[in-house]
Amino acid sequence: MKNFLIVEDDELATPSVGPWAKTKYQIIYDYMVLFSSGMKKHWANRIYIDIYAGAGKAKIEKTNEILYSSPMLALKVDDPFDKYIFCEKDKKLYQALEQRIKNEHFEESHVIFNGDCNEIADTILKEIPQHSRKNNVLSFCFVDPFSLKIEFETIKKLSTKFMDFLVLLAFGMDGKRNITHYVKDNNKRIDKFLGLEDWRSRWEIANKKHINLVEFLAKEFTQQMVNLGYLEEAIDNFIAIHSDERNLPLYYLAFYSRNKIGYDFWNKVKMRNTDPTLFD
Ligand SMILES: C[S@@+](CC[C@H](N)C(=O)[O-])C[C@H]1O[C@@H](n2cnc3c(N)ncnc32)[C@H](O)[C@@H]1O
C-alpha cells in the first residue's frame, strides 16, 4: 500500500483523531483500491459517496502526524472513481475539504455539500447518474459518524440505487456508554439508528439471555440491511477497531453488499486486518 498515511500540514482545518484512526484509514483505503480497480471493467460509472466526510486530513493526537482522511484517500486510488459526492455538516471542515480538493484533485468530477446528510439525502441521490443497461452505475457509500447518530432512513433512501455500504458502527464509543439513556422510552437515538420502534421488547429478552448490547444492535442493524436485500454474511465479516491503550473495541466497520463479489474484496481486506475479538 502507498504511504498516504503521513502527509504535510497545509494549515487548513485538521481535526484531531485517536491513534486507532490510522487502522481505519488503512482498511478503507485498501478496500477502495480493490473496489475501484476491480469494478472498472464492469461498471461504466463508479460513484464514491462519503456522507460524513470530514476535512480531508486529520491529525493524530499526541504524535501530531497528519493523515489523509476518507475523502482524500478515495481520490487517491489507482483507478479514480467516476464521480465523488461528499457531505460535511461543519462549515469549517467543509471549506477545508473544498480547498484540499481544489489543490490536489480539481480534475476529478465531484460535488461537496455543506449540510446534514439526513436532511439532504434526496439531493445526494439526485447527484448519482441515472442507471441504464448501457450506462450502468455502481456506488460505494462510506458512513463514518462519531456516534450512533446514523439515521437508517437515510441509508434506506440511498439503497434504492445499486450501492454497497461501509458503515462505522460506533458501539464502543457511543452505544455501550450511553445504553442506560438509550433504552429509556423517550430516547429516540436507537429507534432512528435502526429505523425501528419495536426493538425494546426484543432487547429485554436478549438482555435476560445475557446477550450483550453490541451483539444485539449489530444483529438488529444487519437484519434491517438484509430486509433491504443486503447479504446476511455481513454479520460474520465485521472488522473491530480497538483503542491502543486498553485494547477495547471502539467501533466496528460493517460492510454491506447485495453481491458476493463485494464480500470477496472485503474478505481480502479483512484477512489483512483480522481481529478475532468481536463482541467482547
Ligand atoms: C468521525 S468524522 C469522520 C471524518 C472522515 N470520514 C474521516 O475519515 O476521518 C465525522 C464527520 O461527520 C460530520 N458530521 C456529523 N454529523 C453529520 C451529518 N449529520 N451530516 C454530515 N456530516 C456530519 C462531522 O462534522 C465530522 O467531520
Side-chain angles (χ1 to χ4, degrees), residues 13-276:
T14 306
S16 290
V17 293
W20 49 84
K22 259 188 184 177
T23 316
K24 172 178 88 174
Y25 294 140
Q26 246 156 5
I27 291 171
I28 58 168
Y29 179 68
D30 202 7
Y31 180 76
M32 293 187 303
V33 167
L34 287 177
F35 177 91
S36 58
S37 293
M39 292 301 176
K40 197 176 172 201
K41 267 200 232 140
H42 308 287
W43 296 83
N45 298 278
R46 294 151 305 136
I47 314 299
Y48 176 80
I49 305 172
D50 201 329
I51 57 176
Y52 293 82
K57 286 186 183 177
K59 185 184 280 182
I60 299 284
E61 285 159 7
K62 294 186 189 149
T63 67
N64 287 339
E65 287 165 301
I66 312 255
L67 317 176
Y68 281 131
S69 61
S70 56
M72 297 300 279
L73 290 171
L75 284 155
K76 289 184 187 299
V77 294
D78 301 332
D79 292 306
F81 289 79
D82 298 290
K83 182 170 182 180
Y84 292 84
I85 304 170
F86 302 111
C87 176
E88 169 53 51
K89 193 171 159 185
D90 182 287
K91 186 134 194 222
K92 277 204 177 124
L93 303 184
Y94 155 83
Q95 285 168 338
L97 177 61
E98 192 179 38
Q99 190 58 50
R100 285 179 172 128
I101 295 177
K102 236 181 224 166
N103 294 347
E104 295 186 38
H105 290 284
F106 195 66
E107 73 291 355
E108 300 299 345
S109 166
H110 67 276
V111 53
I112 318 174
F113 294 108
N114 180 205
D116 181 328
C117 60
N118 300 305
E119 286 168 13
I120 64 164
D122 291 321
T123 313
I124 293 172
L125 268 179
K126 284 192 193 128
E127 286 295 329
I128 301 173
Q130 200 59 42
H131 173 90
S132 70
R133 252 183 15 163
K134 282 199 176 138
N135 192 33
N136 57 0
V137 183
L138 177 63
S139 302
F140 169 65
C141 180
F142 185 38
V143 184
D144 183 20
F146 283 124
S147 60
L148 286 186
K149 268 190 182 160
I150 300 171
E151 293 188 15
F152 192 77
E153 266 312 301
T154 304
I155 291 183
K156 192 172 170 185
K157 270 189 189 164
L158 296 175
S159 76
T160 53
K161 304 281 183 179
F162 287 112
M163 192 169 307
D164 291 345
F165 287 92
L166 183 57
V167 185
L168 185 140
L169 297 171
F171 293 139
M173 292 172 96
D174 195 349
K176 266 192 206 166
R177 263 182 233 166
N178 291 322
I179 179 60
T180 44
H181 279 324
Y182 291 168
V183 291
K184 286 180 190 153
D185 282 345
N186 58 359
N187 192 307
K188 296 282 175 228
R189 173 70 68 86
I190 291 180
D191 298 33
K192 284 190 175 172
F193 166 65
L194 294 174
L196 289 171
E197 289 181 354
D198 63 354
W199 60 273
R200 283 184 177 80
S201 54
R202 288 193 294 283
W203 167 235
E204 250 175 55
I205 296 167
N207 201 14
K208 279 185 192 141
K209 290 184 188 159
H210 304 291
I211 292 171
N212 75 36
L213 175 70
V214 170
E215 184 176 351
F216 172 77
L217 289 179
K219 287 192 173 152
E220 288 274 317
F221 184 84
T222 299
Q223 186 54 47
Q224 283 293 77
M225 294 302 284
V226 170
N227 294 344
L228 297 178
Y230 288 85
L231 300 185
E232 287 188 24
E233 61 193 271
I235 193 76
D236 301 320
N237 290 299
F238 283 14
I239 296 179
I241 310 273
H242 291 84
S243 76
D244 286 356
E245 288 111 20
R246 292 160 61 207
N247 206 30
L248 294 170
L250 273 181
Y251 47 75
Y252 299 87
L253 287 169
F255 176 74
Y256 296 98
S257 180
R258 292 178 171 121
N259 196 308
K260 286 252 176 227
I261 298 171
Y263 289 92
D264 293 344
F265 294 144
W266 182 245
N267 283 328
K268 269 192 196 149
V269 174
K270 195 181 161 206
M271 274 183 343
R272 297 196 267 248
N273 297 279
T274 310
D275 190 321

